[in-house]
Amino acid sequence: MPRRPGLSVRLRLTLSYAGFLAVAGALLLAVVWGYLLRYVPDNPQGLLGISPNRWLLVRTFFPAAAVAMAFLLVFGLVGGWFLAGRMLAPLDRITAAARTAGSGSLSHRIRLEGRRDEFRELADAFDTMLGRLESHVAEERRFAANASHELRTPLAISQTLLDVAREDPTRDRDQLIERLQVVNRRAIDLTEALLLLSRSDRGTFAREGVDLSLVAEEAAETLLPLAERRGIALDVTGGAARVGGSAELLLRMMTNLVQNAVVHNLPTGGTVTVHTEERDGAGVVRVENTGPVLAPELVPTLTEPFQRGTERVRTDEHAGVGLGLALVHSVVRAHAGTLDLAARPAGGLLVTVTLPTDTR
């Protein structure tokens, strides 16, 4: 927005210092006039006939007072300009850093030295903001690059299948349609997951009371056929855990947790346990599954988008799009909750979600 030019802060502070000093000097002279000269007699003999009279004192005092006032004004202007420059020097560095960040460079930091004061607290807060912004931008760029790669894969496969069908008209049409349907379903799932992830990140959803135990039972009922086909025992335990949030997002969160626990499990004979409870004023969900032993350094990366454990690509029909736990993390964050992942010593993963209870 265009603005009209005005006085700089340094000049305004200088004028303020000089004006304050001039007013203080004038008040001091007024005090001298009011409490000193008023007791001097205004006659030719003066005080007791030996002291100067009021007229003589005024004639002698006023020129000196005028010189003193001029000196105070000049001293206030020069000293105020110098002091204002010293005081505003940190603000100049903060402004320069803000302009650098505005040009697209987020790696610059102010790192203002000295003891804590208002300017240093502002500089530290600005450095912290730049660090988080730089991390967020890097994450968004990495996410966009991965999303583009993931979306390009099914589209490239579809194009290849169509090219093969065009070159070989005798190819089995039903098989081609089936493979195209699988690829198209995967692209749709990825797009829906990206949209849901974006929605949960913005936090634009209506909040209502949701019982996590009912959500867990619905998710388990939906995924029970998948668990039975894989020979996985799926069990839901615990009691009611009422929280405030979006029923749709919380159901998607629970479904992703259970599906992740079923898919990343033992080939046969595995178990998945979903437990809900209220603890310390919060709703808690624990999803625990058997499975391969996970390296400790791998666990923190599981919530990053497009990470699929130790396997980049799976070949079964529930390969997922690499956004399962990333979407869970986003939903939990949008509901002001916490997500904790812990590798089980015997293999598998323990996921704990803690959400604030519904206080309405």
Side-chain angles (χ1 to χ4, degrees), residues 120-141:
R120 281 152 187 82
E121 288 184 355
L122 176 61
D124 292 343
F126 193 81
D127 284 343
T128 302
M129 182 194 69
L130 283 178
R132 292 180 179 177
L133 187 61
E134 183 182 22
S135 175
H136 180 71
V137 170
E139 181 181 350
E140 289 294 328
R141 289 174 178 172

Side-chain angles (χ1 to χ4, degrees), residues 196-208:
L196 191 61
L197 187 62
S198 174
R199 178 187 171 193
S200 61
D201 281 339
R202 292 194 306 269
T204 55
F205 52 84
R207 295 180 181 270
E208 57 183 309

Side-chain angles (χ1 to χ4, degrees), residues 141-217:
R141 289 174 178 172
R142 185 170 61 252
F143 178 84
N146 289 334
S148 300
H149 174 75
E150 295 289 333
L151 283 170
R152 183 177 59 184
T153 300
L155 295 176
I157 294 175
S158 299
Q159 183 64 44
T160 301
L161 291 174
L162 291 174
D163 291 341
V164 171
R166 183 184 298 109
E167 296 175 359
D168 185 8
T170 62
R171 192 178 182 85
D172 189 351
R173 181 179 178 182
D174 293 337
Q175 182 183 9
L176 175 63
I177 293 176
E178 182 179 356
R179 295 187 62 183
L180 283 174
Q181 185 175 9
V182 171
V183 175
N184 188 60
R185 180 72 256 174
R186 178 176 174 80
I188 293 175
D189 289 343
L190 176 59
T191 304
E192 291 179 349
L194 290 173
L195 291 175
L196 191 61
L197 187 62
S198 174
R199 178 187 171 193
S200 61
D201 281 339
R202 292 194 306 269
T204 55
F205 52 84
R207 295 180 181 270
E208 57 183 309
V210 180
D211 189 347
L212 292 179
S213 63
L214 299 180
V215 176
E217 291 177 0

Side-chain angles (χ1 to χ4, degrees), residues 25-312:
L27 289 176
L28 181 60
L29 293 178
V31 169
V32 172
W33 171 261
Y35 288 92
L36 178 61
L37 296 182
R38 65 182 297 185
Y39 295 107
V40 177
D42 191 13
N43 53 60
Q45 291 81 18
L47 183 64
L48 301 177
I50 57 175
S51 298
N53 58 19
R54 185 183 300 177
W55 178 84
L56 185 58
L57 286 178
V58 169
R59 184 178 179 183
T60 305
F61 176 73
F62 267 39
V67 172
M69 286 295 298
F71 173 78
L72 287 177
L73 185 60
V74 174
F75 181 79
L77 290 172
V78 176
W81 182 263
F82 175 75
L83 291 177
R86 289 289 302 272
M87 293 294 296
L88 295 176
L91 191 60
D92 292 336
R93 292 180 56 180
I94 297 173
T95 303
R99 287 174 177 166
T100 302
S103 64
S105 176
L106 300 177
S107 59
H108 178 72
R109 298 294 182 271
I110 303 172
R111 294 188 178 90
L112 197 61
E113 62 279 352
R115 297 184 179 182
R116 179 189 299 177
D117 59 17
E118 289 81 357
F119 284 123
R120 281 152 187 82
E121 288 184 355
L122 176 61
D124 292 343
F126 193 81
D127 284 343
T128 302
M129 182 194 69
L130 283 178
R132 292 180 179 177
L133 187 61
E134 183 182 22
S135 175
H136 180 71
V137 170
E139 181 181 350
E140 289 294 328
R141 289 174 178 172
R142 185 170 61 252
F143 178 84
N146 289 334
S148 300
H149 174 75
E150 295 289 333
L151 283 170
R152 183 177 59 184
T153 300
L155 295 176
I157 294 175
S158 299
Q159 183 64 44
T160 301
L161 291 174
L162 291 174
D163 291 341
V164 171
R166 183 184 298 109
E167 296 175 359
D168 185 8
T170 62
R171 192 178 182 85
D172 189 351
R173 181 179 178 182
D174 293 337
Q175 182 183 9
L176 175 63
I177 293 176
E178 182 179 356
R179 295 187 62 183
L180 283 174
Q181 185 175 9
V182 171
V183 175
N184 188 60
R185 180 72 256 174
R186 178 176 174 80
I188 293 175
D189 289 343
L190 176 59
T191 304
E192 291 179 349
L194 290 173
L195 291 175
L196 191 61
L197 187 62
S198 174
R199 178 187 171 193
S200 61
D201 281 339
R202 292 194 306 269
T204 55
F205 52 84
R207 295 180 181 270
E208 57 183 309
V210 180
D211 189 347
L212 292 179
S213 63
L214 299 180
V215 176
E217 291 177 0
E218 183 177 353
E221 182 179 355
T222 302
L223 294 170
L224 184 59
L226 172 63
E228 291 177 345
R229 286 200 304 269
R230 292 173 172 266
I232 306 296
L234 179 57
D235 190 21
V236 179
T237 63
R242 194 166 183 82
V243 301
S246 167
E248 178 189 357
L249 290 177
L250 292 175
L251 177 59
R252 185 59 182 265
M253 176 198 76
M254 193 73 69
T255 302
N256 283 9
L257 285 174
V258 177
Q259 180 174 339
N260 186 77
V262 171
V263 172
H264 299 279
N265 213 307
L266 298 175
T268 56
T271 61
V272 174
T273 303
V274 183
H275 181 81
T276 60
E277 63 178 350
E278 288 189 2
R279 183 200 310 160
D280 298 331
V284 180
V285 179
R286 293 201 313 270
V287 180
E288 186 175 7
N289 70 309
T290 54
V293 178
L294 296 175
E297 62 273 11
L298 176 65
V299 174
T301 68
L302 296 179
T303 57
E304 295 182 7
F306 307 106
Q307 294 292 329
R308 301 186 179 90
T310 56
E311 299 180 6
R312 180 62 189 170

Side-chain angles (χ1 to χ4, degrees), residues 311-342:
E311 299 180 6
R312 180 62 189 170
V313 177
R314 296 176 60 89
T315 57
D316 57 18
E317 70 277 14
H318 290 280
V321 295
L323 289 173
L325 290 179
L327 197 147
V328 168
H329 186 224
S330 180
V331 172
V332 171
R333 184 173 52 196
H335 287 77
T338 59
L339 174 66
D340 181 67
L341 306 180

